[in-house]
Amino acid sequence: MKEDFLSRLAVIVGQDYVSNRPEDLYLYSRDPGAQKPRRADYVVMPRTVDEVQQIVRLANQEKIPLTPMGAGLTLSALTVPLRGGIALDMKRMDSIIEVNEASRYAVIEAGVTQAALRAYLEKHHPHLQHSTPESPPTATIVGNILIQGHGHLTPRYGINSQMVNGMEVVLPTGEVCKLGSSSISPSWFSRDPLPDLMGLFLGWLGTTGIVTKLSMQLFPKPSYRDLLLFVSDSTELIPEIIDELSQINLLENCFIITQEKPRWAQRIYYIIVISGQSQAEFETKKGLHNQIFQKHPDKVSPVNEEPALTPLRERFLGVPPFAATAADFRKGGGFEYTGAILPIEVIPRAWQSGIEIAHKYDLLYQLGIQLLPNGHSVMLAYSYPFNRAVAEEADRARGALDETNHLTLELGGVVWKPELPAQKLILERMDVGTRQLIDRIKKMLDPNGIMNPGNWEVS
Ligand SMILES: Cc1cc2nc3c(=O)[nH]c(=O)nc-3n(C[C@H](O)[C@H](O)[C@H](O)COP(=O)(O)OP(=O)(O)OC[C@H]3O[C@@H](n4cnc5c(N)ncnc54)[C@H](O)[C@@H]3O)c2cc1C
């Protein structure tokens, strides 16, 4: 059966783009995070929508699981096939189909990476940019949007999934449909005002369909850009500062970070990214943000000296920034973070507890807040570096992640891009009616349960 199935896949995509060799499957059976590997049985790399449809139909016929994958870099093992089957690697579908300058959007295929779009825009449309996450450059734009990720323009323009104008999707039973304005018009310019079907695919972790094309908003690139850096020791001040930043709502991006190593980094650093199209706009914004911090002279001060100044500027001024540069990468390279989406008022407790959890598991702490749009909430990333070569250290990292996820839910927050144990915790707490709705939608779209099974599994 195995060889026969492989040759049927090969008929669809060509011999060079399928494999069941252990050395090829190795990569598809794990990700760089702390979760344990699970074996994929086949990998297949389609080039066209028609090939995706044929693969989906074949998987349905044989009831073989199918896990769509961009770069597999969530760190939460969301592309590690929990029940084996086919890893559907979308990287060959890598065309940038259109960039519309007037309505400012790009239509891309599912395999287009962050680096590819960025390089394309720099070359052909240098005054436009997309909201870039700090994930590795090989991460796909579609994978990032489908997990409702964040980019360097998030505080100003929204989380990346809010920037979607439309999608083309192959449903789990093989039909293709278009969503947004592209369903009635040649232009992919808008998500509104038709029934919003995008939510059937955002946040579902590849369990409801395969996105083959996507239209995303682009934004003007500013002529002026710089950082303001401040340092404080007061966790209680964080909600107040976020409130004050949101009152004027003029920043491009804002991080609030601390980490255990090097020693100078143990304080609370505010990194405010200011940008503007004219010098006057830029200087006004700088002045207004400086005033916010000057209101608290006893609790916060500007960073204008070493050792903090140069490393913070180097890490945060670029696009993408490097907030997740955990302190101890060199020892074995393992690194995972859990993203807690939190209401503002719980930040001081979440911050303090994060440090305590890291120490309880004998890990170095690194906390980073990414401000979310309009200061209504934050993503607090708890990063845990560990030595991949030491099983006991990976166990400790998993323990810390698990405890952090419990903390997030206890504080009334939501775990972002949840790995399997966190999905279970979320489902246990979820309103019963909502859980049943999730179950019904999945069964309606995917009657044979082939799509990334195990994830968001209610029954
Ligand atoms: C150092 C580091 C820093 C990071 N920083 C950020 C950050 O700043 N912001 C951020 O948002 N994320 C960040 N991440 C998390 C992650 O890397 C990114 O979100 C990344 O863009 C995910 O893209 P991917 O191609 O790896 O997705 P994948 O892991 O391949 O896929 C993600 C999910 O989408 C599904 N999927 C993928 N493609 C399709 C498709 N075509 N159709 C249907 N389902 C599909 C998969 O099954 C999976 O469930 C970071 C990760 C690392 C390692």
Side-chain angles (χ1 to χ4, degrees), residues 93-101 103-112 117 120-121 125 141-142 163-168 178-179 181-182 185-190 211-218:
M93 298 184 69
D94 63 353
S95 302
I96 296 169
I97 296 165
E98 179 193 355
V99 170
N100 183 308
E101 290 243 353
S103 299
R104 291 202 294 256
Y105 65 81
V107 183
I108 55 163
E109 286 189 315
V112 171
L117 182 62
Y120 185 88
L121 291 175
H125 308 273
I141 291 181
V142 167
M163 299 170 181
V164 175
N165 285 344
M167 291 179 187
E168 176 188 79
K178 285 186 178 162
L179 315 178
S181 61
S182 68
S185 150
S187 175
W188 293 69
F189 73 103
S190 178
V211 175
T212 43
K213 295 188 187 70
L214 185 140
S215 166
M216 62 189 292
Q217 294 171 353
L218 303 174

Side-chain angles (χ1 to χ4, degrees), residues 364-379:
L364 295 171
Y365 67 78
Q366 199 223 15
L367 307 177
I369 283 179
Q370 156 89 73
L371 200 62
L372 296 182
N374 309 317
H376 285 119
S377 59
V378 293
M379 192 275 285

Side-chain angles (χ1 to χ4, degrees), residues 6-77:
L6 191 74
S7 37
R8 289 164 78 189
L9 287 172
V11 169
I12 299 172
V13 294
Q15 196 66 49
D16 289 346
Y17 300 108
V18 290
S19 176
N20 64 353
R21 286 188 296 270
E23 60 272 31
D24 293 329
L25 296 178
Y26 180 89
L27 271 181
Y28 295 92
S29 305
R30 67 204 68 231
D31 85 351
Q35 304 306 308
K36 294 199 167 150
R38 314 272 179 123
R39 202 183 126 80
D41 298 307
Y42 312 93
V43 52
V44 56
M45 300 182 78
R47 177 64 198 98
T48 65
V49 178
D50 180 62
E51 288 174 7
V52 174
Q53 290 180 275
Q54 290 187 56
I55 294 164
V56 170
R57 291 195 177 116
L58 181 59
N60 262 297
Q61 214 177 317
E62 301 298 335
K63 303 208 173 31
I64 293 191
L66 189 59
T67 299
M69 174 188 178
L73 283 169
T74 59
L75 301 169
S76 325

Side-chain angles (χ1 to χ4, degrees), residues 225-372:
R225 203 162 171 274
D226 203 0
L227 300 178
L228 300 178
L229 302 170
F230 300 92
V231 63
S232 165
D233 294 309
S234 166
T235 46
E236 299 304 321
L237 186 66
I238 300 175
E240 213 178 311
I241 294 281
I242 291 176
D243 180 55
E244 288 170 16
L245 292 171
S246 314
Q247 304 276 341
I248 55 172
N249 213 10
L250 288 174
L251 46 71
E252 176 184 297
N253 202 354
C254 166
F255 296 96
I256 306 168
I257 62 154
T258 189
Q259 65 183 49
E260 192 150 7
K261 279 189 181 175
R263 210 182 158 85
W264 61 260
Q266 290 178 8
R267 303 183 69 193
I268 301 169
Y269 288 88
Y270 290 85
I271 293 117
I272 311 290
V273 184
I274 303 291
S275 54
Q277 292 303 354
S278 68
Q279 188 155 9
E281 177 195 347
F282 180 59
E283 295 300 337
T284 305
K285 285 180 175 172
K286 266 210 237 179
L288 289 168
H289 284 90
N290 272 320
Q291 278 171 25
I292 290 177
F293 290 90
Q294 281 159 4
K295 273 194 238 161
H296 309 277
D298 47 334
K299 292 195 190 140
V300 61
S301 48
V303 176
N304 39 30
E305 284 177 12
E306 303 303 350
L309 186 62
T310 304
L312 288 178
R313 286 189 70 79
E314 281 175 359
R315 275 175 63 182
F316 287 95
L317 193 52
V319 176
F322 286 102
T325 309
D328 210 19
F329 274 146
R330 61 190 186 280
K331 290 192 188 144
F335 158 68
E336 179 152 2
Y337 70 99
T338 173
I341 310 292
L342 295 173
I344 304 297
E345 62 276 15
V346 303
I347 292 172
R349 212 184 124 204
W351 190 274
Q352 198 46 46
S353 305
I355 294 173
E356 285 161 17
I357 292 172
H359 285 165
K360 176 173 164 189
Y361 287 88
D362 201 15
L363 297 166
L364 295 171
Y365 67 78
Q366 199 223 15
L367 307 177
I369 283 179
Q370 156 89 73
L371 200 62
L372 296 182

Side-chain angles (χ1 to χ4, degrees), residues 68 70-74 133-135 139-140 144 146-147 149-150 209 211 337 416:
L73 283 169
T74 59
E134 81 170 277
S135 33
T140 62
N144 174 259
L146 292 181
I147 60 162
H150 319 108
V211 175
Y337 70 99
W416 170 54

